[in-house]
Amino acid sequence: MLSFTTLFVAASAVLGAIAAPTATTPEDVSRVRKRNTPNETGTSGGFYYQFWSEAGGSVDYENGPGGNYHVTWSAVTDFTSGKGWSTAAPRNISYEGTFVPGSNSYLAVYTWSQQGETYILENFGTYNPGSCCGKHQGTITSDGGTYDVWLVDRGNNYIQYWSIRQEKRTSGVVTTGNHYNWYIAHGLTHNPNSAAAYQILSTEGYESTGSSNMTVGEVSGDSAPVSSSAPASSAKATTAAPTSVATSTAAAAPTSSSSSTSDAAAHYAQCGGQGWKGATTCVSPYTCTASGVYYSQCL
Ligand SMILES: *[C@@H]1O[C@H](CO)[C@@H](O)[C@H](O)[C@H]1NC(C)=O
Ligand SMILES: *[C@@H]1O[C@H](CO)[C@@H](O)[C@H](O)[C@H]1NC(C)=O
Ligand SMILES: CC(=O)N[C@H]1CO[C@H](CO)[C@@H](O)[C@@H]1O
């Protein structure tokens, strides 16, 4: 860990000096579309996961328990990875963890389709993808923040919508319907709810070095929340270029902190509301907080 940190600091110093011109080069359409053939996909801890990497640099992706995944990368060309669902919906998605983005990396609720992509960007590195080549569409106020909405036309009718949160964060709830409804009302040609091949909390690195350890979940107003207590089937995908630095994963199975608390609801999970029959207490240190007659949540 120490050597990785040292390496990361050194690498980001170098990238900081030289990365600006290349980081603003948008990915071409053919590269983006290739994401439809993920190098690895499957189910882990009750969630769909997706890992895709273009050759170049090294990436080490590992599924953890429940909605957890962990990824480290070094001088990659481009990769996307993360956990979520194999179809998109206007879900309320919770996430929390650590994100060390380096120069150009994205932490986003991400959908992919043949017609385009949507990024609800919660955090990113020194490079803001909206600054490159998009058209500003307006702003969305949601989940305690303000998002700048950008449309990026990749050509051949391949459209990206980006919601870029002004207040970067590494945990919270994303009310995706607020974004998708806005996009559709403003002329998005593909409806992510029906067109997307998957919807994940994505950690993406593009010509950068960094690390991310995230846990995703779903907050639902009318059904039991997805809990992250299921024991993990730990799957691991690694790509490495010849010159890559070995990023060893100690692969210590994370302790399942929520499995012993089946009577208490997890962070962000529902814990009350009219008609609610599930847990009404929260795991420490969270408090059951009412946000209306129909819904209380562990915050
Ligand atoms: C998402 O949260 C909003 C309130 O923030 C609620 O109105 C809506 O019903 C929720 N949607 C789902 C699918 O749980
Ligand atoms: C990811 O974070 C969780 C929660 O802090 C921790 O238990 C787990 O060990 C971490 N995983 C890795 C691979 O560092
Ligand atoms: C590491 C690896 O095998 N990466 C491949 C993932 O799939 C893309 C095509 O979608 C290839 O270009 C990469 O080489």
Side-chain angles (χ1 to χ4, degrees), residues 26-74:
E27 303 160 81
D28 66 50
V29 173
S30 60
R31 284 170 84 185
V32 175
R33 281 194 170 158
K34 278 185 194 160
R35 286 180 192 158
N36 195 32
T37 51
N39 301 69
E40 189 171 326
T41 172
T43 349
S44 162
F47 289 83
Y48 168 87
Y49 75 91
Q50 180 266 347
F51 171 79
W52 176 89
S53 173
E54 209 167 9
S58 69
V59 196
D60 193 339
Y61 173 87
E62 187 170 12
N63 284 317
N68 178 259
Y69 68 93
H70 175 250
V71 57
T72 59
W73 64 97
S74 177

Side-chain angles (χ1 to χ4, degrees), residues 41-181:
T41 172
T43 349
S44 162
F47 289 83
Y48 168 87
Y49 75 91
Q50 180 266 347
F51 171 79
W52 176 89
S53 173
E54 209 167 9
S58 69
V59 196
D60 193 339
Y61 173 87
E62 187 170 12
N63 284 317
N68 178 259
Y69 68 93
H70 175 250
V71 57
T72 59
W73 64 97
S74 177
V76 289
T77 304
D78 188 20
F79 76 93
T80 59
S81 68
K83 277 190 175 179
W85 298 265
S86 59
T87 55
R91 294 184 176 88
N92 296 340
I93 295 176
S94 64
Y95 72 94
E96 64 178 320
T98 54
F99 180 62
V100 182
S103 54
N104 188 7
S105 305
Y106 311 132
L107 178 68
V109 173
Y110 170 73
T111 69
W112 185 93
S113 82
Q114 284 286 350
Q115 294 79 38
E117 299 164 297
T118 65
Y119 284 84
I120 303 171
L121 192 61
E122 297 288 295
N123 208 322
F124 53 97
T126 50
Y127 171 67
N128 181 331
S131 67
C132 146
C133 37
K135 293 197 188 91
H136 196 253
Q137 304 294 299
T139 59
I140 297 173
T141 303
S142 183
D143 303 306
T146 303
Y147 294 81
D148 285 295
V149 185
W150 295 85
L151 181 156
V152 177
D153 185 347
R154 296 273 183 212
N156 295 323
N157 298 317
Y158 196 79
I159 303 296
Q160 294 179 330
Y161 261 70
W162 293 80
S163 292
I164 301 179
R165 192 178 167 96
Q166 292 175 1
E167 310 83 1
K168 292 179 184 176
R169 56 182 183 165
T170 54
S171 69
V173 174
V174 179
T175 304
T176 61
N178 289 348
H179 299 265
Y180 300 161
N181 290 341

Side-chain angles (χ1 to χ4, degrees), residues 162-261:
W162 293 80
S163 292
I164 301 179
R165 192 178 167 96
Q166 292 175 1
E167 310 83 1
K168 292 179 184 176
R169 56 182 183 165
T170 54
S171 69
V173 174
V174 179
T175 304
T176 61
N178 289 348
H179 299 265
Y180 300 161
N181 290 341
W182 197 99
Y183 301 159
I184 293 159
H186 289 77
L188 182 62
T189 50
H190 60 98
N191 180 341
N193 297 319
S194 52
Y198 52 83
Q199 176 185 42
I200 58 173
L201 180 76
S202 172
T203 298
E204 173 170 359
Y206 186 64
E207 296 174 358
S208 67
T209 296
S211 69
S212 167
N213 178 359
M214 283 290 153
T215 301
V216 66
E218 182 177 4
V219 181
S220 174
D222 50 24
S223 63
V226 174
S227 101
S228 57
S229 59
S233 61
S234 181
K236 185 168 181 267
T238 303
T239 67
T243 55
S244 75
V245 176
T247 50
S248 71
T249 51
T255 52
S256 177
S257 56
S258 51
S259 61
S260 61
T261 54

